[in-house]
Amino acid sequence: PWTCDWSIIIAKLKGKKSVLTIHNDMQKVGFLSKLITDIYLNTLFRISLQLVNKIIIVNPDWQKSFIYTNKILNSHQNKIEVIPNGVNTNLFKQNYEKIYWEKQLRI
């Protein structure tokens, strides 16, 4: 998410609208990773949420599944639109057996 923040700030400075898409919760493992994420969520991420015009979330159940960010996002519900990912995974399943044999034949 780090680069999107700069894009949002630049868009605001230029008087342009911006959209932020959130695909998942920002949950990290390990002390240092959690510390950096907590600092980010409580500084630059909050600023970005204030500046952005629309927030798109791909998970319809985000309020229950975004453990670390749902409290921050709740205060911006007026900007949030839920647009689930557009691929029906029941229709588009990868044929792993075919891929395996294709790779074996190329060896």
Side-chain angles (χ1 to χ4, degrees):
W2 317 104
T3 56
C4 74
D5 303 303
W6 292 108
S7 299
I8 292 166
I9 292 168
I10 292 168
K12 193 65 166 182
L13 291 172
K14 291 188 167 209
K16 305 288 183 183
K17 292 185 177 183
S18 58
V19 176
L20 173 65
T21 304
I22 301 173
H23 295 271
N24 58 354
D25 203 2
M26 290 177 230
Q27 182 177 349
K28 300 295 180 192
V29 180
F31 175 76
L32 187 58
S33 296
K34 283 184 180 182
L35 178 64
I36 291 169
T37 301
D38 284 344
I39 291 169
Y40 169 72
L41 289 175
N42 290 295
T43 56
L44 200 50
F45 185 66
R46 286 182 185 266
I47 293 168
S48 293
L49 293 177
Q50 289 288 337
L51 297 176
V52 77
N53 296 92
K54 195 59 91 172
I55 302 164
I56 297 173
I57 297 179
V58 298
N59 183 346
D61 200 26
W62 67 272
Q63 288 178 309
K64 292 179 185 170
S65 61
F66 286 15
I67 297 166
Y68 292 98
T69 54
N70 66 7
K71 290 177 185 159
I72 297 170
L73 291 169
N74 273 331
S75 61
H76 299 281
Q77 284 194 30
N78 61 325
K79 295 180 180 183
I80 293 176
E81 294 288 333
V82 176
I83 303 175
N85 286 320
V87 175
N88 183 340
T89 56
N90 290 324
L91 292 175
F92 298 99
K93 290 185 180 182
Q94 189 131 18
N95 187 338
Y96 292 105
E97 185 175 327
K98 180 181 175 188
I99 292 170
Y100 171 79
W101 286 109
E102 286 176 355
K103 285 183 180 180
Q104 295 303 315
L105 293 173
R106 281 188 231 153
I107 294 177

